[in-house]
């Protein structure tokens, strides 16, 4: 059973297991961090929002430079160091007493996690041959979703107890998962630091216009397909007064199970970056269809709403799986091997851009536009799907050689 759920023994499996442990702790923290910071520490919702926004901006700005550091120092050592630093900072959260101490630690967490993400992408790129990168990245995404889901369940215990001791135990437990993940990762083979070309700039990702356009388009879609389930659908069902809100849980369950069990399947058969462009277009169009299906629930009987939400959620997760597969392949494929970390970090900046844009867009479309708002969101995905292959082809044309991934 384990052999079907994890990649082959060796560095690939070590990376996957380290990710599982780390994301389990993150899931537990995320599920109850807001109540810890508001009920136990005493921050107001406004203070919490401002602090998290400051940290998010800092993490976004530093993503590409931190990825560059991983390329030059080595992704394994960089990732282990960042994991251990995050462990200290999360443990230090128990000492937060007010707004400014929270801001400082939130910023340190944002920097540490941005470093982990850039180094992790470079680690995957260097740990296996190019033709195995996509499958390993798919395994990592599967266990990432599974770890967060399991951690969220465990994080419900402090929520039920609602005591400072329970929240502190959760924080220290999360810190421990970072240490355990670093210990697991220390057993992985070292990824060598590749020489930088003698001529040309070192921070090439931020000068790569096709890649920057790709990160904006793809980052927007990646954020949107997540927010559709976590924000758009709850808002929509709340406005449809006869629709049961528990359907949000059903949709989340369909999405989580699909991402955990089918991500590796979705990555198979994608042979190179040109295939990725086709898969990305398909994924965008399929998510667009799901948006239209969500909108069609307006005015239907409860049983019909339930059936259509389940169907739309299944369609949605298929599109998401194809889009994420395309993302992995394109980011690995357009990046020079010596600059995988900075390209991973630059892509994360695009994802953060999407996280800023999509929530208000979805809220306006769903709350104000109703069924036509959902159709409009579907049209946005349709346009993005048409643009997607053209942007990828532009990226392929602007470099002498694109690795097969």
């Amino acid at each position: 059973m384990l052999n079907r759920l994890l990649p082959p023994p060796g560095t690939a499996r070590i990376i996957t297991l380290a990710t599982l442990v780390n994301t389990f702790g993150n899931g537990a923290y995320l599920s109850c961090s807001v109540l810890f910071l508001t009920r136990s520490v005493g921050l107001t919702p406004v203070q919490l929002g401002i602090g998290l926004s400051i940290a998010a901006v800092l993490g976004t700005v530093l993503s590409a430079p931190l990825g560059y550091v991983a390329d030059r120092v080595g992704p394994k050592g960089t990732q282990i160091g960042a994991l251990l630093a995050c462990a200290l900072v999360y443990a230090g959260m128990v000492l937060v007493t007010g707004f400014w101490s929270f801001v400082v630690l939130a910023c340190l967490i944002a920097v540490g996690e941005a470093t982990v993400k850039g180094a992790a992408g470079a680690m995957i790129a260097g740990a296996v041959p190019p033709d195995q990168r996509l499958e390993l990245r798919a395994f990592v995404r599967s266990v990432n979703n599974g770890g967060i889901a399991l951690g969220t369940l465990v994080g419900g215990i402090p929520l039920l107890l609602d005591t400072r001791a329970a929240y502190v135990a959760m924080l220290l437990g999360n810190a421990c998962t970072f240490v355990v993940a670093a210990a697991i990762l220390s057993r992985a083979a070292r990824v060598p630091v590749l020489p930088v070309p003698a001529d040309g700039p070192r921070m090439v990702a931020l000068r790569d216009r096709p890649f920057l356009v790709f990160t904006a388009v793809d980052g927007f879609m990646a954020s949107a397909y997540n927010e559709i389930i976590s924000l758009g659908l709850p808002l929509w069902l709340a406005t449809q007064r006869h629709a049961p809100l528990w359907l949000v849980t059903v949709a989340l369950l369909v999405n989580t199970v699909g991402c955990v069990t089918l991500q590796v399947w979705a990555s198979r058969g994608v042979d190179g970056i040109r295939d990725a462009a086709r898969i990305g277009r398909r994924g965008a169009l399929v998510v667009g269809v799901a948006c239209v299906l969500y909108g069609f629930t307006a005015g239907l009987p409860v049983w019909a709403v339930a059936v259509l939400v389940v169907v739309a959620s299944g369609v949605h997760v298929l599109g998401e799986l194809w889009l994420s597969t395309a993302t992995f392949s394109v980011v690995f494929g357009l990046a020079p091997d010596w600059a995988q970390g900075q390209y991973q970090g630059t892509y994360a900046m695009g994802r953060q851009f999407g996280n800023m844009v999509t929530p208000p867009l979805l809220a306006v479309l769903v709350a104000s536009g109703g069924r036509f708002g959902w159709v409009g969101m579907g049209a946005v995905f349709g346009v993005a799907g048409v643009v997607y292959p053209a942007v990828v082809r532009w990226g392929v044309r602007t470099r002498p050689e694109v690795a097969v991934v």
Side-chain angles (χ1 to χ4, degrees):
M1 180 67 177
L2 184 63
N3 290 329
R4 292 197 299 269
L5 297 176
L6 294 175
T11 294
R13 181 170 291 186
I14 289 170
I15 292 172
T16 306
L17 289 175
T19 302
L20 178 62
V21 170
N22 186 215
T23 54
F24 172 81
N26 285 338
Y29 172 75
L30 291 173
S31 65
C32 49
S33 59
V34 171
L35 287 184
F36 163 72
L37 292 167
T38 54
R39 294 173 69 88
S40 181
V41 176
L43 298 181
T44 68
V46 172
Q47 289 176 321
L48 179 63
I50 292 173
L52 291 176
S53 296
I54 293 171
V57 170
L58 183 63
T60 300
V61 170
L62 294 179
S63 289
L66 290 170
Y68 176 82
V69 170
D71 289 325
R72 304 279 47 88
V73 175
K76 177 183 174 180
T78 302
Q79 190 175 357
I80 290 174
L83 287 168
L84 293 176
C86 284
L88 288 174
V89 177
Y90 272 111
M93 289 287 284
V94 302
L95 303 177
V96 170
T97 57
F99 174 69
W100 289 112
S101 58
F102 164 66
V103 170
V104 171
L105 290 182
C107 287
L108 291 175
I109 287 172
V111 171
E113 293 187 342
T115 306
V116 169
K117 289 179 181 178
M123 185 76 179
I124 292 170
V128 295
D131 62 346
Q132 297 177 24
R133 290 172 180 169
L134 182 56
E135 184 176 59
L136 175 55
R137 186 63 184 83
F139 272 115
V140 168
R141 185 173 192 258
S142 291
V143 300
N144 180 82
N145 283 285
I148 289 176
L150 293 172
T152 300
L153 291 175
V154 173
I157 297 174
L159 292 178
L160 291 173
L161 298 175
D162 194 23
T163 63
R164 178 170 176 82
Y167 292 130
V168 167
M170 175 273 301
L171 281 169
L172 296 178
N174 182 35
C176 289
T177 65
F178 280 87
V179 176
V180 174
I184 293 171
L185 197 62
S186 68
R187 302 183 62 185
R190 177 180 174 273
V191 174
V193 176
L194 299 179
V196 178
D199 55 340
R202 297 295 181 262
M203 286 294 296
V204 291
L206 295 178
R207 298 167 181 259
D208 190 340
R209 286 183 293 176
F211 186 75
L212 292 177
V213 174
F214 170 80
T215 63
V217 173
D218 191 86
F220 166 79
M221 288 196 292
S223 176
Y225 63 60
N226 283 323
E227 295 292 347
I228 284 170
I229 294 287
S230 62
L231 175 65
L233 186 60
L235 285 175
W236 173 245
L237 293 178
T239 62
Q240 304 298 302
R241 303 198 181 277
H242 65 289
L245 293 178
W246 53 261
L247 285 173
V248 175
T249 302
V250 174
L252 287 169
L253 182 62
V254 170
N255 188 267
T256 301
V257 172
C259 288
V260 171
T261 60
L262 297 177
Q263 184 65 69
V264 176
W265 164 82
S267 71
R268 287 172 180 158
V270 179
D271 184 18
I273 195 170
R274 292 171 179 83
D275 274 358
R278 173 177 54 80
I279 294 295
R281 177 181 59 196
R282 180 199 300 171
L285 296 176
V286 169
V287 175
V289 170
C291 290
V292 176
L293 292 175
Y294 287 128
F296 279 173
T297 60
L300 295 179
V302 172
W303 69 267
V305 173
V307 170
L308 201 51
V309 165
V310 171
V311 172
S313 301
V315 173
H316 180 156
V317 77
L318 281 176
E320 176 179 339
L321 291 168
W322 284 322
L323 270 172
S324 58
T325 295
T327 299
F328 307 150
S329 186
V330 173
V331 176
F332 282 138
L334 291 183
D337 280 344
W338 60 269
Q340 288 285 344
Q342 62 172 286
Y343 270 75
Q344 296 286 338
T346 300
Y347 175 77
M349 294 173 64
R351 180 64 178 271
Q352 290 296 328
F353 162 78
N355 290 341
M356 290 185 285
V357 171
T358 54
L361 176 63
L362 263 174
V364 169
L365 287 175
V366 171
S368 303
R371 175 185 294 175
F372 294 105
W374 279 111
V375 173
M377 196 67 205
V380 170
F381 271 97
V383 171
V386 172
V387 170
Y388 196 97
V391 174
V392 174
R393 287 194 296 269
W394 180 24
V396 172
R397 288 196 305 270
T398 55
R399 57 217 69 218
E401 181 179 355
V402 175
V404 177
V405 294

